[in-house]
Every structure is written in structure tokens, then in C-alpha cells.
Amino acid sequence: MVSRVIPVDPFDLVIFGGTGDLARRKILPGLFRRYCANQIPTSARIIGVARTQLDKKAYRILVRDSIIEFSGNHKVNKKYLETFLLMLVYKKVDAQGEEGWAELKDLVRKDVVNAYYLSVGPGLFGEIASRLKQWDIATVESRVVIEKPFGRDLSSAKKLNAVLSTHFSENQIYRIDHYLGKETVQNLMAVRFGNLLFEPLWNSQYVDHIQITVAETVGVGGRGAYYDKSGAMRDMVQNHLMQLLCLIAMEPPSQFNPDSVRDEKLKVIRALAGVKSHHIVRGQYDSTKTEQSYRQDVENPRSFTESYVAIKTEINNWRWAGVPFYLRTGKKLKTRSSEIAIVFKKLPHSIFEQDGEKKQNILAIQLQPNEGMTLDVTIKEPGPGGMRLIHVPLDMTFAEALGDHVEDNPDAYERLIMDVIRGNQTLFMRGDEVEAAWTWTDPIIKTWESRHDVPKLYEVGSVGPEDAMALIRRDDRVWRDLK
Ligand code: BG6
């Protein structure tokens, strides 16, 4: 297959938190894969920064081991790995003190793209941004990449935006939501705006409801302390699920450029209806004979934090008035499955007599684990026996249709880092978008907190709390199976 990868310009990428978990698991293995795909020139430099005292050699060994450990199914080409490691430099810098900044300034080249990835705790975002300017390291051309969580409520997000904007202009700030870097998430836009077929049906006249599911089998892992202060609403809904909802619901932008796309997404968030308390279910996973409960995992026997949320909401605009959007996400569920399902309305009138005729068309976009789309349609059952109808999914699983191309897919982080280097902000959240998302989420969380809301328990390995099933059943609908 002919490679369609376009190499990026030489760059210096400084990773604050260069020895941390995200750098070792995602950022560095991702950069290595892009290097193997010949997208990164050997003149690029990756500068790991952290508090630990390490020399260049020790850092390269750490990165080599991380790439080998976290490359998953991808075979690590040892020859490429050795040359990739030569691009790495390490600098000990005290993010809150003065140590190391002068040397960092000398290290970063001003005549190539330079980007600063803040893969550190949110408490350090502002501090590092200020020091980058104070030490005259970052220029007006530099890019700064901010990991989530971007604030924990509207007021902290506003403060963070304010600090960042005193040092950088909006077109230099790349707020990461890694869901936007997923292949199928981008495909959502291609499907909607690259085909004539769906767009005429994409509205309240033809759509009965929409379901967005992000189900995980993993629990909180080693992140219990962070997660217990956040919960699923802050950790998943405020960012990943809302971004998916925006892409599904937004109006066609006039062009595929960062601000046109983000303007349309922002309008969706602003049009979201406030959620009534009986339209939301919080859950927390409970132990089984073999599995620990959430409270045991986070070592907090009195935790009321939710590891599951189901929400029914609506978008108050012309296109979507009256169409329910059901969102759910949870940890330690039966299967790992992220899916968006557009469930179309029933036929207004059927000329057939049997049961099958009232089935609804469903366009299901599977994000993970297997990327693809299915469109449920009614057809005649092949063979004799009269007009018998069956409902079948037209399977458009990308792995089958696209063969080799699927192997080529960069993971979300790879794609997003390359976008930073290319200077393309389309898949990054703008400051006003993040604030609008918190504006919607804040009252929900505040109500729970003021009422000391107790989450409903669900067993590890189940499909979620019973109340979440009832939430949608009350509307005569059902959640899609977690396959
Ligand atoms: C992260 C959340 O942003 O996304 C995690 O903090 C969650 O709690 C993860 O597990 C899910 O990402 P993915 O790509 O595995 O679906």
C-alpha cells in the first residue's frame, strides 16, 4: 500500500512530566510510531522534563523500556528504536522553582516549531505556563498542550483559561480531549458531512432518539485518589461524552477548519437543556464474590462518588427539539463498548402485516473496541414462503472493508500530537467550549453534592444500575445491548 503519511516539519517538543505515566504509556510510544511511519524527521527533538535527576542515557533507557512495554500489538522495530532514542534529551526542571529553566531556554531551538506538552497535574498548568513566558522560552509561535482535567468546575476552568490567556493566545493553546483523536470519532464527521444520504434524515422529523454509550470494563486502577474526587460526571461526561454529542448534533460547519467546527460545537453545548433530577442516575460498582467494590478500590469506605452515570437530555434548537439524547458511561461494566446509536422513527404506515415491519432503522457507530458502523434495515427474508420480513444489520465494519488501511490508524494521542506540530486545532477544545461544558455540568454536580446524593449500586460485570434501565424504559425504549 502506498503510504499517505505527510512528514511534519522539524520540531522541538518539550514534555513536562516526561517520566510520568501518560508520557510512558501514550505520548512517547505514540511519537515512536509516527517516527516509524516516517512522519517525524530525525532532526526533530523530544525534550523530556521532570523533577527527577536523570542523565540523557538513563532517560533514553526509560523511554526505550516504556516503548517496548506499551506498544501493545505493534511490533517494535529495534533499528528504528535506536535512531528514535537519539532524538531524546532530558532536562531536570523544577516546575515551581528556578532550577533548570535557564538550561531549558538554551536547549529549545527558536527556529523550528516548538511545543510544550503539560503532562502534569492540573495544579501546575498555570505555573509552568507563566514560567515559560517569564524565562522567555516560549514565543508567540509556540504551542502549549494541556491535558485534562481542564478544571473541576466552571470557576476553576475560568481561572485556568485566564492564566493561560495572559501568556498565550487562544491559537497557541491545545486542550486535549483524546476522544476527539479517535479514528471513528472523526469518521462521524466524514459520515455526516461527506454523504448526502444521512443529513436529510438527521433531525427531529426522522430521529426518534440517540444513545451514546461509553462502557468500560476497567475500574479506577491506580488513579483512585484522583477519581474519587472527580467521578464519572467530571471524568467522562463533561468532556468525552459531550464532545461525542456535539459531533452528532452540530450543524454542518461552512468549512472544515478549527473555528468553524468549534463554533458549531459550542452552539450545541449552549443549547443543551438542563437535566431534571429524575432524568439522571448515578451508580457505583459493588463487589461480587470475586471482585472488589468501588469503595474498596479507592480505599474510601464512605465514598459517594459515582463510577456510572446515565442521563436523558435534550437539545433546545430547531433541529433537535423533542429528541431525547440518552448518555451513559460507567466503569467495571459487562463489556468494553463505546457506541453512538441513531435510532430512527418507526414507519408512519406499514403495508406489511407481520411483526418485523415496525422495527426501526438504527445507525450504530462503534468507536471501540472494533471500529465500524452498522445500519439496521428491514429486508425480505430470502427464499420461498411469501413476504416474510427480517431485520438485519448492514455491517460496515471498517477492518473488513478497508483491510490494510486499518493497520495504519494512529491512536488518538499520535494523531493529536501530530496536529499540534502541524498547528491544526480542529480536534482540540477551545476555551469557551470547555467553559460552556462546565456551565451545563456544574448545576448537576452541585445538586448531588448539596443533597449528599447516594449512588445506586450495580454489580461489577453487570450492565449498570437497575434505575438506569428504568430511566429509558419509562419512555418505552431500551438501551442497546452491551455486546
Ligand atoms: C480518560 C478517563 O480520560 O478516558 C479514564 O480519565 C477513562 O477514566 C479513559 O478510563 C477512557 O479512554 P479510552 O480511550 O480507553 O476509552
Side-chain angles (χ1 to χ4, degrees):
M1 189 180 54
V2 183
S3 169
R4 286 150 294 118
V5 172
I6 301 168
V8 294
D9 291 335
F11 62 85
D12 278 0
L13 173 67
V14 181
I15 309 175
F16 286 88
T19 56
D21 201 51
L22 183 72
R24 293 193 313 110
R25 279 175 191 277
K26 294 284 183 189
I27 304 174
L28 291 157
L31 284 162
F32 174 59
R33 281 198 66 204
R34 289 297 91 207
Y35 173 71
C36 293
N38 294 321
Q39 198 166 13
I40 298 185
T42 37
S43 56
R45 244 175 359 172
I46 298 160
I47 305 168
V49 165
R51 272 178 309 195
T52 326
Q53 184 70 54
L54 281 181
D55 60 17
K56 189 159 70 181
K57 190 164 166 229
Y59 188 58
R60 288 178 178 171
I61 293 173
L62 179 143
V63 174
R64 187 195 61 201
D65 294 349
S66 310
I67 290 175
I68 293 172
E69 185 178 351
F70 298 115
S71 280
N73 297 333
H74 304 291
K75 233 175 114 200
V76 177
N77 179 322
K78 294 276 162 58
K79 212 172 95 211
Y80 271 85
L81 184 55
E82 289 315 311
T83 49
F84 174 77
L85 293 177
L86 298 177
M87 294 160 55
L88 291 163
V89 185
Y90 179 79
K91 190 84 239 132
K92 179 183 179 208
V93 174
D94 179 1
Q96 292 167 295
E98 305 309 312
E99 192 191 344
W101 291 96
E103 289 97 315
L104 185 62
K105 179 183 159 95
D106 292 341
L107 212 52
V108 178
R109 295 172 294 178
K110 292 271 159 63
D111 54 345
V112 297
V113 170
N114 56 79
Y116 302 88
Y117 197 130
L118 276 43
S119 172
V120 293
L124 291 177
F125 292 158
E127 198 119 27
I128 295 177
S130 323
R131 281 192 162 68
L132 282 172
K133 276 327 262 289
Q134 183 191 319
W135 283 89
D136 201 20
I137 300 174
T139 66
V140 289
E141 303 283 331
S142 303
R143 292 147 206 182
V144 57
V145 185
I146 312 284
E147 261 302 325
K148 76 172 258 260
F150 198 93
R152 53 174 285 109
D153 53 19
L154 178 61
S155 120
S156 51
K158 275 188 164 167
K159 275 191 200 132
L160 187 50
N161 272 336
V163 174
L164 290 174
S165 65
T166 53
H167 304 294
F168 296 95
S169 59
E170 185 60 38
N171 65 10
Q172 295 181 278
I173 306 171
Y174 290 72
R175 296 174 192 79
I176 288 221
D177 182 321
H178 79 280
Y179 265 59
L180 288 177
K182 288 185 191 275
E183 182 73 13
T184 326
V185 172
Q186 291 177 74
N187 224 332
L188 258 176
M189 287 190 272
V191 166
R192 281 196 62 192
F193 306 128
N195 295 289
L196 187 66
L197 196 61
F198 300 113
E199 196 50 28
L201 306 177
W202 216 263
N203 56 50
S204 61
Q205 202 182 339
Y206 295 104
V207 175
D208 177 73
H209 73 278
I210 289 179
Q211 296 189 17
I212 302 178
T213 300
V214 178
E216 299 186 278
T217 47
V218 293
V220 291
R223 300 157 70 231
Y226 147 78
Y227 193 91
D228 204 36
K229 291 202 177 66
S230 302
M233 194 71 185
R234 289 189 173 98
D235 185 54
M236 296 294 286
V237 177
Q238 187 271 347
N239 36 74
H240 306 326
L241 274 84
M242 285 193 69
Q243 289 296 323
L244 297 181
L245 183 141
C246 284
L247 296 177
I248 283 288
M250 70 184 189
E251 293 302 313
S254 59
Q255 292 170 41
F256 189 61
N257 69 31
D259 276 331
S260 304
V261 171
R262 297 186 300 177
D263 285 347
E264 295 307 334
K265 280 162 54 194
L266 179 63
K267 286 184 205 160
V268 173
I269 305 177
R270 289 193 173 147
L272 272 175
V275 181
K276 303 188 180 82
S277 52
H278 62 284
H279 285 163
I280 186 156
V281 176
R282 298 170 79 220
Q284 189 185 79
Y285 62 81
D286 197 7
S287 58
T288 63
K289 279 191 189 127
T290 52
E291 296 278 348
Q292 293 208 136
S293 67
Y294 172 84
R295 289 178 171 191
Q296 288 166 317
D297 280 354
V298 299
E299 295 173 3
N300 178 2
R302 282 211 284 271
S303 174
F304 287 148
T305 303
E306 76 285 354
S307 57
Y308 177 101
V309 192
I311 299 174
K312 174 185 172 184
T313 185
E314 285 188 13
I315 299 173
N316 288 329
N317 65 15
W318 199 300
R319 183 188 286 263
W320 294 116
V323 178
F325 282 70
Y326 298 96
L327 320 178
R328 64 177 164 162
T329 182
K331 293 201 180 288
K332 291 263 180 174
L333 293 173
K334 186 179 157 203
T335 41
R336 176 172 187 248
S337 168
S338 300
E339 187 199 72
I340 298 167
I342 293 98
V343 182
F344 291 93
K345 289 195 166 158
K346 291 186 176 147
L347 293 177
H349 165 75
S350 174
I351 62 169
F352 306 109
E353 282 175 2
Q354 54 168 110
D355 277 342
E357 89 280 20
K358 277 286 164 69
K359 288 264 191 184
Q360 287 154 280
N361 297 117
I362 300 174
L363 177 67
I365 301 157
Q366 186 79 34
L367 267 51
Q368 53 195 28
N370 304 314
E371 297 170 343
M373 286 198 323
T374 54
L375 179 62
D376 288 8
V377 290
T378 300
I379 58 166
K380 176 190 170 295
E381 193 175 344
M387 195 63 175
R388 286 173 293 113
L389 301 181
I390 49 168
H391 206 63
V392 290
L394 285 183
D395 194 342
M396 299 179 261
T397 306
F398 300 144
E400 282 164 29
L402 301 180
D404 286 357
H405 289 251
V406 170
E407 285 294 300
D408 252 12
N409 279 347
D411 105 344
Y413 276 94
E414 293 171 42
R415 171 173 289 119
L416 294 174
I417 296 169
M418 289 300 98
D419 277 356
V420 173
I421 305 300
R422 279 187 288 249
N424 184 344
Q425 290 184 301
T426 311
L427 300 177
F428 296 83
M429 294 180 296
R430 212 167 50 192
D432 50 4
E433 240 183 290
V434 180
E435 289 183 13
W438 280 121
T439 304
W440 183 76
T441 327
D442 261 11
I444 301 172
I445 298 175
K446 295 236 160 78
T447 310
W448 292 340
E449 285 172 354
S450 65
R451 290 186 190 161
H452 302 290
D453 193 80
V454 182
K456 311 284 181 218
L457 295 178
Y458 62 96
E459 273 194 2
V460 172
S462 68
V463 292
E466 176 44 39
D467 287 41
M469 309 305 125
L471 171 78
I472 191 164
R473 220 187 291 126
R474 279 200 297 270
D475 296 343
D476 261 342
R477 300 182 175 107
V478 285
W479 289 111
R480 306 254 305 154
D481 277 346
L482 286 185
K483 288 183 211 101

